[in-house]
Amino acid sequence: MKELAGRLAALDPDAGAALQVISYFDRLIEGRAGLESLVRGAAVLSGCPARLVDEERGVRVRVEADGMRRDDGGPLDPAWPSAPLTPDGPPAVWLERTGVSDGVHAMVLERAAAAARVVLDRTRGRAPAEARQADPASVEVLLDAAATEHARRQAAVRLGLRDVAAARVVATAEGGPLVEAAVPATGDSTPTTGGRRAGIGPAVPVRDLPASWAAARTALRFTAEGTDQDPGPRTVYADELGGLALLADTVGPTTEPVPDVRALERAVATAPWAASTLNAVAFSTSLRAAAAELNVHHSTLQDRLVQAEHWLDWPVHDPHGRLRLQLALVLRRLHRNAAR
């Protein structure tokens, strides 16, 4: 390739340079380079800052002409030359320059976009999460541990997950499960929940998605509406539950609440502020932090606690009583979500 590029350069400098650009990005793809390396190559080869912006996948990478990554480059300029990741898609790879672009710049854009598409397909999936729910039958097969390995592998192919290294399942309070490619190395992106209550399963190889689905359903039972009467998180990650996940096995649709939960329900029924106040006290770092979260004066919170402790019949100021309150609140959520 180098020899051919040299010969072409002697005949046509632009053709030789374009061939070198092709060879450069081909090597990056073969070496399984990351997105930052691809954008850096585009910036250095073109002699100007380059960007990759894929809003659908939440990707924004910007590299200066000197090879340094600086993502805070200001808004995109429609006058800059750009290239889409797919033929009919929006512009995604940009060169921050104005004026007439030559053939080399056009080749840099084309090859950088093609390489970025390969990397994004490999690491973040071929389609956004919403598109993967268009075939609910395939999702059902993929998440069914009793299905044959061949059937689940074919379902993964239909859902665009064949080349995804890891994925996770999102269980939502309304609607079916969502299957998402997990973002590697630098951390997970925010899951697609659409504002709904959601339990997020762990990132696993595609073949292990039934386990992620089971964990996501368990995590969903620990969620709350986030209202005054049902305070708590609307999104719960299964990875962060730890030993609390064992509590889910002890509470079912016909399980009788323990006395602490019954006491908590009586308190909640007595005063409209009880649920949110006790939740803030249980899970805030201090009483002052709880008062700030509730937007009440510290003395008001103290007065509320005096009443709440009377209804509960145990103190919540000391560590033991606070732990009892935390467990009662968590068990209350599990009872409310026992049918999920």
Side-chain angles (χ1 to χ4, degrees), residues 4-5 14 32 54 87 92 106 120-121 149-150 180 191 208 214 249 259 263 266 270 302 324 327:
L4 178 58
D14 285 345
R32 300 178 72 82
D54 185 356
L120 287 168
D121 286 351
E149 183 177 350
H150 175 74
E180 297 186 333
D208 295 330
D249 295 332
R266 287 195 299 270
T270 303
Q302 293 283 9
R324 283 182 68 179
L327 288 174

Side-chain angles (χ1 to χ4, degrees), residues 72-200:
D72 53 344
L76 294 167
D77 186 340
W80 293 339
S82 61
L85 294 177
T86 57
D88 298 324
V93 180
W94 300 76
L95 298 181
E96 297 181 14
R97 65 188 308 273
T98 56
V100 179
S101 298
D102 57 26
V104 174
H105 289 102
M107 183 58 67
V108 168
L109 279 171
E110 178 187 332
R111 300 307 297 176
R117 183 171 63 250
V118 170
V119 175
L120 287 168
D121 286 351
R122 184 182 75 234
T123 60
R124 305 196 183 194
R126 299 181 184 275
E130 292 86 348
R132 295 198 184 112
Q133 314 320 312
D135 183 3
S138 293
V139 172
E140 182 178 353
V141 171
L142 183 64
L143 302 183
D144 184 1
T148 66
E149 183 177 350
H150 175 74
R152 292 178 54 239
R153 186 166 55 247
Q154 291 302 309
V157 171
R158 290 192 296 272
L159 294 168
L161 294 167
R162 178 179 57 185
D163 299 323
V164 172
R168 64 186 172 196
V169 185
V170 179
T172 60
E174 304 88 14
L178 308 175
V179 182
E180 297 186 333
V183 181
T186 57
D188 283 349
S189 62
T190 303
T192 303
T193 63
R196 293 170 286 183
R197 291 168 59 182
I200 314 299

Side-chain angles (χ1 to χ4, degrees), residues 238-300:
D239 285 340
E240 298 175 359
L241 284 174
L244 287 176
L246 298 176
L247 290 177
D249 295 332
T250 68
V251 177
T254 61
T255 305
E256 285 294 321
V258 297
D260 281 2
V261 174
R262 290 199 294 269
L264 178 60
E265 291 290 6
R266 287 195 299 270
V268 170
T270 303
W273 49 258
S276 58
T277 297
L278 290 172
N279 188 79
V281 169
F283 296 105
S284 296
T285 56
S286 67
L287 289 182
R288 291 197 177 276
E293 178 184 331
L294 295 166
N295 197 28
V296 299
H297 193 271
H298 185 261
S299 62
T300 300

